Amino acid sequence: MSQHYHADQASPQGGEGERDRPLSVSARLGRLQFHYSGKFRLLQLADVQEGPKVSPDTIRLIAAACDAAKPDLVVFSGNQVAGYDTAYERTFRKRRWSTPLDGIYSAGLSMGGALGFGGASLKRSAKSQDGQADADHRELSRRDAERVRRQNIKHTEDLVRRTVGLITGPLVERGIPFVVTYGNHDFQCGLDTDQMDAIYREVPGCLNPEATVAHPDRVHALIGSALPSQTAFVCAPGTFALPVADCDGHGVVMGLVLLDSGDYARTGGYGSPSAQALDFLAAAPELLGNRSIVFQHMPIPQFYDLLKPVPATTAYAVQGYRSFDSRCYVLDESRTCPGSYLGEGVSCPDEDSGEYDLLTRNRGYFALFAGHDHRNGFVGRSGGDLTLGATPTCGFGSYGPVPGKRAARLFEFDIRHPHHPRTQLLEFGQLVGRPGSHKVYTFAMSHVPTSTGDAVNLLRRPGVLAGGLTALAGLIASWGSTRRRSGPRG
């Protein structure tokens, strides 16, 4: 798998008349299918991570990437919603288990008192001498709290619906279908994945199959979707598989598998896919009848196989995460593609869930691409003949590389060798140019460049402070400094 970083290689095809039709060739054909040119294109958007007030630069990047790539399909690989945004404070939950509903219920109870729902009953209760009356008043308070909780959930649904509408707007305008899986921040807004799935399915072009009556071993027709001839195998919200047909629409050339990779572990650190999801992952190759590529939010521990342990004093070394934090790493250039970069330690689960063994068993899969680590953009080959890839954030609402390096990832599959696609990052600086807003933390949290050229090209027309820091970083790189970079982790 090759990796390139020049947007001009992904220039739009076709003339002016093409603009009246969907950009997605598959949308015109009614199913995910290789074109008669022998190509199939896919765009991955990782870690949009926006609240209800979506950054205009995020929308600009999504729109520009779609125009440049003309993808058949867009994959949102998790953390579309910044669930920790203060707009969701009424329903926010840090962990799924910390507020199954009781935390929200308690918040609703206190809110009910503040709104006066329960105040009168509490006063009457203080004066009441009847135990039954006290019980009635408590029941009334509970009902008030439940009503407030429902109002808060409805409010959050409306806010999420606004975010989803904004980030998918460029796709809807261009007639590009999309699919969605989830990360470790989506649920923190207070909605479960099935509730968010329902909101995404309201948007024209969403191919997420309804998972309420999922039968993983049965094929589901996506009748009524943007691709009426498309089929799917569904396990759960955010976990499903889609076959991609050949040029004639008869045989399956490859599969696309989206996997909900979990969020947090009770023992600390990040979680892993559910047992049900792993069972589905094991069964999908046989169901699809060909090899597949997987998209998920969380990287797996084997991503560290693409890194090389080095002394802490090595230039640009980054510290590993949790189970790997006793060592520092750089990219192993013998295993990664040119143009790859490492901006932070790989934030993977502490425990190996066995996912990698499932992926490499019987050669059922040829690649796994994840997001999560906003400052990492690399592709490499593992020892198990599996391509692993990290895609940086495409959003401007959270930490990440400098604005010019925030990107969408394009995949181009060739019918002659469909399991060895080309991939490249379509970067904001190349597609759009200068961002509409500047945030100091975007530079402070960026990877230190490994060459003077990298340093100079990260920002277009930087401000005085950013320009000075960029020039200084370039000088340090050119001098071959051995000072180790450190920075805050998102």
Side-chain angles (χ1 to χ4, degrees):
M1 179 176 290
S2 58
Q3 175 164 277
H4 306 276
Y5 287 82
H6 299 289
D8 56 357
Q9 295 179 356
S11 58
Q13 300 174 355
E16 292 291 327
E18 294 286 310
R19 295 179 182 179
D20 296 332
R21 296 194 295 169
L23 280 184
S24 168
V25 176
S26 287
R28 305 173 201 168
L29 297 173
R31 66 168 64 86
L32 296 177
Q33 179 177 324
F34 276 77
H35 318 164
Y36 287 110
S37 65
K39 307 294 185 183
F40 179 84
R41 285 186 162 193
L42 184 150
L43 195 67
Q44 179 193 6
L45 299 176
D47 297 271
V48 178
Q49 210 156 311
E50 293 276 6
K53 297 180 180 179
V54 178
S55 169
D57 286 329
T58 298
I59 303 302
R60 292 169 73 196
L61 175 55
I62 293 174
C66 288
D67 288 338
K70 284 192 171 182
D72 290 88
L73 180 73
V74 168
V75 174
F76 289 94
S77 57
N79 277 7
Q80 290 74 241
V81 175
Y84 50 79
D85 192 287
T86 54
Y88 308 119
E89 60 185 354
R90 299 180 187 178
T91 54
F92 170 77
R93 49 181 177 174
K94 188 175 183 180
R95 300 289 185 268
R96 289 184 189 273
W97 60 86
S98 62
T99 52
L101 276 180
D102 55 334
I104 299 174
Y105 180 90
S106 298
L109 183 59
S110 62
M111 182 65 72
L115 295 175
F117 293 146
S121 65
L122 291 175
K123 292 178 181 178
R124 290 194 300 271
S125 178
K127 298 178 180 179
S128 176
Q129 303 298 318
D130 187 347
Q132 182 59 46
D134 287 345
D136 290 343
H137 298 150
R138 287 194 296 271
E139 177 63 24
L140 179 60
S141 295
R142 283 194 290 269
R143 290 178 181 176
D144 289 341
E146 177 63 18
R147 182 165 64 253
V148 172
R149 185 191 71 80
R150 290 177 181 174
Q151 291 173 346
N152 290 341
I153 289 293
K154 175 64 168 57
H155 179 65
T156 292
E157 287 177 340
D158 291 341
L159 292 177
V160 170
R161 189 172 284 110
R162 170 180 169 79
T163 301
V164 169
L166 288 171
I167 66 176
T168 60
L171 282 62
V172 175
E173 293 170 2
R174 291 160 175 77
I176 302 172
F178 66 93
V179 288
V180 176
T181 190
Y182 302 98
N184 60 297
H185 288 310
D186 294 292
F187 80 92
Q188 290 181 325
C189 69
L191 303 184
D192 288 328
T193 49
D194 59 336
Q195 293 171 297
M196 286 184 282
D197 233 38
I199 291 173
Y200 281 106
R201 285 198 301 274
E202 294 173 2
V203 181
C206 180
L207 299 184
N208 277 41
E210 189 170 357
T212 52
V213 289
H215 296 281
D217 58 337
R218 300 181 187 175
V219 63
H220 294 258
L222 301 184
I223 300 174
S225 73
L227 303 182
S229 299
Q230 182 64 38
T231 59
F233 295 92
V234 55
C235 172
T239 300
F240 54 94
L242 302 170
V244 179
D246 59 22
C247 300
D248 297 321
H250 300 312
V252 175
V253 177
M254 66 179 196
L256 305 176
V257 175
L258 274 79
L259 188 74
D260 185 337
S261 54
D263 39 74
Y264 297 98
R266 288 180 178 269
T267 54
Y270 293 110
S272 299
S274 67
Q276 180 187 25
L278 291 174
D279 287 344
F280 179 75
L281 195 66
E286 183 175 351
L287 295 173
L288 291 165
N290 216 320
R291 303 182 74 190
S292 298
I293 182 173
V294 179
F295 290 96
Q296 62 187 57
H297 178 69
M298 208 78 69
I300 57 178
Q302 284 75 15
F303 273 55
Y304 275 93
D305 293 345
L306 305 182
L307 311 185
K308 181 169 59 177
V310 294
T313 55
T314 303
Y316 320 125
V318 300
Q319 184 179 11
Y321 177 75
R322 286 181 64 90
S323 295
F324 298 88
D325 66 2
S326 63
R327 309 192 73 170
C328 293
Y329 300 86
V330 296
L331 286 177
D332 186 339
E333 295 182 358
S334 69
R335 290 194 169 189
T336 52
C337 297
S340 294
Y341 61 87
L342 180 70
E344 60 183 303
V346 176
S347 302
C348 61
D350 293 349
E351 302 295 330
D352 186 347
S353 66
E355 180 180 353
Y356 182 80
D357 290 339
L358 291 176
L359 294 173
T360 55
R361 183 185 303 169
N362 300 323
R363 301 183 75 249
Y365 295 89
F366 59 87
L368 163 64
F369 278 78
H372 187 57
D373 298 320
H374 295 202
R375 292 176 287 171
N376 287 342
F378 60 82
V379 176
R381 198 78 169 172
S382 73
D385 194 32
L386 183 74
T387 296
L388 300 175
T391 300
T393 179
C394 70
F396 284 74
S398 60
Y399 87 98
V402 292
K405 299 291 284 185
R406 299 186 185 219
R409 183 179 287 282
L410 168 65
F411 297 81
E412 184 175 82
F413 300 85
D414 191 306
I415 193 72
R416 295 169 297 180
H417 41 78
H419 305 150
H420 299 279
R422 296 195 323 159
T423 179
Q424 63 190 75
L425 292 179
L426 305 183
E427 298 176 342
F428 185 90
Q430 296 171 332
L431 295 180
V432 181
R434 186 174 181 176
S437 62
H438 294 280
K439 296 181 180 179
V440 174
Y441 72 79
T442 58
F443 187 91
M445 291 184 175
S446 298
H447 77 287
V448 172
T450 56
S451 70
T452 54
D454 188 21
V456 170
N457 291 327
L458 283 180
L459 279 177
R460 300 284 186 90
R461 298 178 184 174
V464 175
L465 176 59
L469 291 173
T470 301
L472 177 60
L475 289 174
I476 293 173
S478 65
W479 292 336
S481 170
T482 57
R483 299 185 66 181
R484 178 185 163 220
R485 178 186 62 84
S486 62
R489 177 182 296 277

